[in-house]
Amino acid sequence: MTDTVSESLTPQFEALHAERVRTWEPDKLAKNVDQRRALVAAFDPATVVTVGDTVAPFELATSQGGTVTLDELVARGPAVLIFFRWAGCPACNLALPYYNRQLWPALAAAGIALVAISPHLPEQGLDGIRSRHGLGFPVASDRDNALGRRFGITFARGDVPAGQPTPGWIGELTGTGTAEFPQPAVVIVDTDRIVRFVDVSPDWLVRTEAPQILDAITALKVKAAA
């Protein structure tokens, strides 16, 4: 697969953080940084989905009112699953357009499925991120974080205990009534429903770069042809 990536996510996230340093109140900034640091410290790779795991069937509701299943995603080749927090997440609004520019054209040309997944409910405005950026790939809702929990990638915001009532806007967006979101993650599943690539980032300002995903897809194609 030809690598046409010409930009990186990292400088974009660095610029986002620099803007927050410049404009946010010190207490708010410190809280944000401390939450990210705590998530990194608590992260245990042994608890998340791993290469070689078999993925059981699932069905997700798309942001445009349809559904997408695992069988449909891997029908023609490996599928790339990108987990993000919610449609209004500032970092997600940098990451998904980046993937649309730097990843999706190559995958689409190769007939490889890509879907962005969040617990954000379709009826609560999930499609906003797709329409806002003109994303070419589907955006889908993981209701109740069912798939995220199965993959072991969910977390609770540091300012609200897991399982406890959370500010109304989060409960309305996800329908869970808790402050649970998926950690940013990329999971590649092959046609045999086997996980072939996993990258989970407990820090939401660090995410998988497109070349890593393209390299993983290339490796799969080489292995299949061998």
Side-chain angles (χ1 to χ4, degrees):
M1 181 173 294
T2 302
D3 183 352
T4 59
V5 174
S6 60
E7 63 176 296
S8 168
L9 265 177
T10 301
Q12 299 178 54
F13 287 148
E14 289 173 346
L16 175 62
H17 180 67
E19 176 66 11
R20 289 174 171 175
V21 171
R22 187 180 69 84
T23 62
W24 280 14
E25 294 293 330
D27 288 350
K28 181 180 179 181
L29 179 65
K31 184 177 181 179
N32 181 275
V33 171
D34 287 346
Q35 288 175 1
R36 291 165 48 209
R37 184 181 294 117
L39 287 169
V40 171
F43 180 64
D44 180 1
T47 65
V48 304
V49 63
T50 190
V51 171
D53 286 350
T54 299
V55 180
F58 62 76
E59 179 176 287
L60 305 172
T62 68
S63 65
Q64 294 182 284
T67 60
V68 63
T69 67
L70 174 61
D71 286 349
E72 291 168 342
L73 289 169
V74 300
R76 297 170 56 195
V80 179
L81 315 181
I82 296 179
F83 288 84
F84 71 103
R85 298 195 294 163
W86 77 93
C89 162
C92 304
N93 276 272
L94 293 175
L96 294 193
Y98 162 81
Y99 292 132
N100 195 58
R101 294 188 299 269
Q102 300 297 331
L103 179 63
W104 175 239
L107 297 186
I112 296 171
L114 166 64
V115 60
I117 303 170
S118 166
H120 194 149
L121 299 174
E123 58 268 28
Q124 293 296 335
L126 173 61
D127 198 52
I129 196 167
R130 185 202 61 81
S131 59
R132 183 181 310 122
H133 301 292
L135 302 180
F137 49 83
V139 176
S141 178
D142 179 22
R143 291 183 183 273
D144 297 321
N145 281 299
L147 186 58
R149 289 174 183 170
R150 190 195 303 178
F151 284 173
I153 62 172
T154 60
F155 74 97
R157 278 185 8 169
D159 58 339
V160 184
Q164 296 300 309
T166 191
W169 68 271
I170 298 179
E172 290 175 3
L173 291 185
T174 67
T176 64
T178 67
E180 184 180 20
F181 288 113
Q183 297 176 91
V186 175
V187 179
I188 298 178
V189 184
D190 71 11
T191 54
D192 293 322
R193 286 67 173 169
I194 304 297
V195 174
R196 296 303 181 189
F197 174 87
V198 177
D199 189 34
V200 182
S201 176
D203 183 342
W204 59 74
L205 288 187
V206 177
R207 307 200 185 194
T208 314
E209 297 280 356
Q212 294 175 261
I213 302 170
L214 293 172
D215 287 348
I217 292 295
T218 297
L220 277 178
K221 293 171 73 71
V222 169
K223 182 177 180 181

